[in-house]
Amino acid sequence: MTYVFRFGGGVSDGIAGDKETLGGKGANLAEMASIGLPVPPGFTISTAMCQRWHDEGERFPDALREEVANGLAHVEQVTGHRFGDPANPLLVSVRSGARVSMPGMMDTVLNLGLNDATVEGLARAAGDERFAWDSYRRFVQMYADVVLGLDHDAFEEALEIAKEDGGYTLDTELTAADLKALVARYMTLVEEGQGAPFPQDPHDQLWGATAAVFGSWQSDRAKVYRRLHDIPAGWGTAVNVQAMVFGNMGDTSATGVAFTRDPAKGANAYYGEFLINAQGEDVVAGIRTPQYLTRAAREEAGARPASMEEAMPEVYGQLADVFQTLEQHYRDMQDIEFTVEKTKLWMLQTRSGKRTAKAALKIAVDMANEGLITREEAIKRIDPASLDQLLHPTLDPHAPRDVIAKGLPASPGAACGQAVFDADTAETWAADGKAVILIRTETSPEDIHGMHAARGILTARGGMTSHAAVVARGMGRPCVSGAGSLAISAKDKVLRVVGREIREGDLLTIDGATGEVMAGEVPTVSPELSGDFGVLMGWADELRTMKVRTNADTPADAKAAREFGAEGIGLCRTEHMFFEAERITAVRQMILASDQAGRQAALDRLLPEQRADFVGIFEAMAGLPVTIRLLDPPLHEFLPHADAEFAEVARASGIDVEQLRRRAAELHEFNPMLGHRGVRLGITYPEIYAMQARAIFEAACDVADGGEAPVPEVMIPLVATGRELELMKVVVDEAARAVFAERGRTLTYLVGTMIELPRAALRAGEIAAGAEFFSFGTNDLTQTTLGVSRDDAARFLGTYVEQGIYARDPFVSIDVEGVGELVRLAAERGRATRPGLKLGICGEHGGDPASIAFCQEVGLDYVSASPYRVPIARLAAAQAALKG
Ligand code: ADP
Ligand code: MG
Ligand code: MG
């Protein structure tokens, strides 16, 4: 087995792009060398040796010594310098490099090979004493720190004292004599620190540094990083040994970092910084202020010191050519390190550059337009989840912020508005055109209308999966939850924190992406939905085969979702409509009625309200399909709590309060999730579903009369048997027939069911006989298949995921093996009975890219996601189609 791979000087032992063996840095160095770019020669000790070194008690096998000697001979031959030769010394850098760039790995050691003898040789060869001693002091300092593990503050301090003694402010002002004295001081520090002198033999230095790189693979920092990023311990790191080139040889030398495009905004312009007469990481270390790469960037920043384009026009020209070559070769934006040694340009590193979501979008679209990549590649390069950053307003980064508290970043986006402390006020103020932030200790289903009316939501209690967080994310409202330092009094309408008070009507800003809470108004910047975003989405739409619908309960959500590209509604829940202030009394009368006549009277009052809801939604969706789920939750969710509420229902229905209370108590359930809900309501009280169906068809006729005919899809929830659906279909069809007869017209509509119980999935063949569509309700299907309550999962699910029992939270990303198997089976059995059966998904999973890929695989017709996740779903569906 070979462990050493040479590069540079026309030699390339490794296979281009073989990051597995060479590590990321080594693979790219070899690749740059092989396409003719100026790379200092060197060799890579493979990742396999890292493993072996650890396995064999941290010792190097003899065979490696020979291979390394060959590697060094290669570097000596190309450079004409000799390792350890006092007359003509070769210096090298020793650099770590795992497959993926990994903090926690050993820092690079530069100028290795220097000792008391070679430093003199370097000075003579370069004709520059100062440069030689500057390199030596850098080497000793780095080696002592990263290889010997000595306290680096002592060395920094010695350097500071040397500068003070000379009355200098910059490192570059130190003279050769100063640096010589500093090295002597460093040598003493090393002896004191490790009880032995600094290693003078360059070979000992090299093996010491190599062992330190391998050793750092098992450092605590590296282990933590690997655990957080799912990097296998078996990968190991490579070691790169490379001839030094010197950016610290005076004013015609420099070192710098650059991106081939702007990594923040994505503009097709070079972007970077450099420092004259400097080495290695001086640029990022902030010792001196770096200069801009391009003249345009310097002018834009209003900076004085010449840019590289101006100071070193010729080398800059070469660098620009290299940028072009690299982008053409890698077909992606590159992040680069370079050094100029006496006007000669050297490339030291390249890799695909990290970028913001905004830049990723612009770069992908630009590169496709430039013909560098295909549209398919552009689509594949964008992480759908990252779009979230672009869809919400963000805080103006330049505006000052008066941060008064920090909570959890529960739902992204920034919002500013007047503080309100209850849902009703939120609703009335919003109706008056005011922007409000709803502040609650925690939220409950009764706050939904207020959450909807608010620009943002702030709570003192509750985590990332609290009611406030889940509902806010679904609505696309920014939310900061669990800001524990806030003392909120809803009664007194005041929030107190750190000696400050926010009262009703005071301005407040929250940032749901960071969890920050700020007093006063911080201006926000709106998201940009046209431009590159629109272009990329258009390409995605051409490629995808699944439709994307939205989960929306209100006309406002439906409108927002259409703007994001929704092609219909996959789930319109009707229960939220029941909570509205003016209706809740009628709803309660309906529930608490002791007989059918009482129930019917209340339903008759609800009918026009429901019809109006549906009209709004049908209009917003102009002609697109709308799936409406008939009433689903257990009735007790709507029951009155407070005495005043009971009194009001009693007054409205003319029933005695005590009787009402008894009736309410009767409705108590031990396990409501598995209780009297879903289709069971329709079976026991068919008049409820009959009213809802009538409202749907009347609304559809109203809208059709005035414009485009909507396509209602009436969905029966929680069905387990074919018979349940059969009975409910009779109720719905009957309502349709009656309404169409009254209106003298007919409309196309479908009746179908949610598949959210394992029995329904298993009996899908039978159920499909009565269903024109299935919508997989994967939230409940996950709960019922796993036997896990979503509301109680927080206590143990984290541990499950940590231990790999479930790869991911099954409520976030579909459990393909279990729940997925049921979906697959139901799809097959359903379609066997009814070949044209329309299939969709409406659980939270409809907005999760991995789950969307699964939906494509099982052949669903559409996915449905909350409005703000519609663009994510469009892109993920395109990616899924490309994979298939
Ligand atoms: P990191 O992964 O932290 O960027 P690097 O190995 O890339 O570490 O090196 C740190 C710094 O040293 C970089 O600025 C790099 O360009 C510079 N450097 C590394 N090797 C050499 C070399 N052979 N000659 C000159 N500079 C080098
Ligand atoms: Mg570093
Ligand atoms: Mg680097």
Side-chain angles (χ1 to χ4, degrees), residues 682-703:
I683 295 286
T684 47
Y685 306 126
E687 56 276 17
I688 299 179
Y689 279 13
M691 179 281 283
Q692 291 196 293
R694 171 167 274 277
I696 291 169
F697 294 119
E698 287 183 359
C701 288
D702 286 352
V703 173

Side-chain angles (χ1 to χ4, degrees), residues 619-632:
E619 278 173 352
M621 279 291 148
L624 294 172
V626 176
T627 306
I628 298 168
R629 179 179 73 184
L630 301 188
L631 197 65
D632 180 53

Side-chain angles (χ1 to χ4, degrees), residues 462-514:
M464 294 292 286
T465 55
S466 62
H467 178 267
V470 171
V471 173
R473 282 199 294 273
M475 289 178 178
R477 291 294 175 283
C479 174
V480 172
S481 71
S485 62
L486 305 181
I488 296 168
S489 167
K491 189 164 76 46
D492 301 334
K493 304 189 178 213
V494 65
L495 172 168
R496 292 194 178 85
V497 64
V498 292
R500 308 269 296 263
E501 274 187 7
I502 304 278
R503 298 196 161 270
E504 188 175 74
D506 290 350
L507 279 172
L508 191 72
T509 303
I510 60 167
D511 186 345
T514 62

Side-chain angles (χ1 to χ4, degrees), residues 572-590:
C572 172
R573 305 177 195 84
T574 50
E575 55 268 22
H576 291 168
M577 304 171 175
F578 282 25
F579 274 114
E580 302 213 352
E582 323 83 64
R583 314 181 184 176
I584 187 73
T585 304
V587 172
R588 286 170 176 161
Q589 277 177 265
M590 183 258 299

Side-chain angles (χ1 to χ4, degrees), residues 233-246:
W235 279 8
T237 179
V239 176
N240 301 291
V241 178
Q242 188 178 26
M244 281 302 299
V245 288
F246 300 101

Side-chain angles (χ1 to χ4, degrees), residues 25 95 108 257 281 337 348-349 351:
K25 201 177 285 169
R95 320 171 66 183
T108 297
V257 295
E281 294 193 320
E337 293 174 7
L348 291 168
Q349 191 171 328
R351 60 183 164 199

Side-chain angles (χ1 to χ4, degrees), residues 144-492:
D145 177 19
V146 305
V147 181
L148 304 178
L150 301 179
D151 176 22
H152 101 138
D153 289 345
F155 292 82
E156 275 302 323
E157 202 183 327
L159 175 62
E160 281 312 309
I161 290 172
K163 286 200 302 197
E164 265 170 42
D165 287 352
Y168 314 131
T169 49
L170 297 177
D171 293 9
T172 42
E173 291 171 290
L174 290 163
T175 65
D178 294 332
L179 291 162
K180 227 184 251 190
L182 184 59
V183 168
R185 174 76 194 122
Y186 278 2
M187 290 304 182
T188 318
L189 286 173
V190 169
E191 277 224 56
E192 283 170 9
Q194 65 162 0
F198 188 83
Q200 288 286 322
D201 181 344
H203 291 278
D204 290 346
Q205 295 170 357
L206 182 58
W207 291 109
T210 306
V213 172
F214 286 156
S216 71
W217 181 253
Q218 294 297 358
S219 67
D220 290 341
R221 267 172 69 201
K223 282 184 190 163
V224 168
Y225 187 85
R226 281 204 290 279
R227 200 177 60 230
L228 292 177
H229 293 85
D230 288 330
I231 297 173
W235 279 8
T237 179
V239 176
N240 301 291
V241 178
Q242 188 178 26
M244 281 302 299
V245 288
F246 300 101
N248 55 337
M249 291 188 92
D251 287 347
T252 54
S253 301
T255 184
V257 295
F259 290 87
T260 54
R261 302 188 187 215
D262 178 347
K265 300 224 173 78
N268 187 2
Y270 307 138
Y271 182 91
E273 295 174 330
F274 82 117
L275 264 184
I276 290 178
N277 195 15
Q279 197 179 51
E281 294 193 320
D282 290 1
V283 180
V284 282
I287 300 167
R288 277 185 276 151
T289 310
Q291 291 153 247
Y292 288 94
L293 207 62
T294 62
R295 181 175 157 176
R298 176 186 70 74
E299 283 172 352
E300 199 191 311
R304 194 108 39 75
S307 65
M308 184 169 176
E309 188 176 4
E310 294 156 304
M312 302 181 159
E314 245 166 69
V315 194
Y316 174 81
Q318 290 168 26
L319 188 61
D321 289 343
V322 170
F323 288 165
Q324 291 304 317
T325 308
L326 284 174
E327 275 209 351
Q328 292 293 331
H329 181 76
Y330 287 99
R331 303 161 71 244
D332 196 6
M333 185 262 268
Q334 296 293 297
D335 169 357
I336 284 159
E337 293 174 7
F338 67 90
T339 281
V340 179
E341 177 181 315
K342 296 198 161 169
T343 73
K344 162 105 181 97
L345 175 68
W346 292 98
M347 298 307 298
L348 291 168
Q349 191 171 328
T350 192
R351 60 183 164 199
S352 282
K354 290 216 162 51
R355 59 204 82 177
T356 62
K358 191 184 170 77
L361 210 57
K362 173 149 182 59
I363 290 171
V365 169
D366 282 354
M367 285 191 169
N369 286 337
E370 290 158 23
L372 200 56
I373 59 175
T374 62
R375 288 180 177 184
E376 286 80 0
E377 282 171 299
I379 293 286
K380 283 189 200 159
R381 282 189 186 178
I382 308 296
D383 171 11
S386 74
L387 295 181
D388 216 21
Q389 288 176 38
L390 305 173
L391 301 176
H392 297 276
T394 47
L395 290 181
D396 179 348
H398 304 297
R401 303 175 185 195
D402 175 12
V403 178
I404 54 172
K406 197 154 184 210
L408 298 169
S411 177
C416 173
Q418 290 177 277
V420 294
F421 293 85
D422 64 277
D424 290 341
T425 310
E427 196 174 47
T428 22
W429 286 28
D432 291 345
K434 291 181 190 163
V436 299
I437 304 286
L438 177 62
I439 304 171
R440 303 286 289 159
T441 301
E442 56 200 339
T443 62
S444 72
E446 284 147 82
D447 292 320
I448 301 240
H449 61 292
M451 297 173 77
H452 211 276
R455 293 284 169 91
I457 296 134
L458 171 62
T459 71
R461 275 198 228 134
M464 294 292 286
T465 55
S466 62
H467 178 267
V470 171
V471 173
R473 282 199 294 273
M475 289 178 178
R477 291 294 175 283
C479 174
V480 172
S481 71
S485 62
L486 305 181
I488 296 168
S489 167
K491 189 164 76 46
D492 301 334

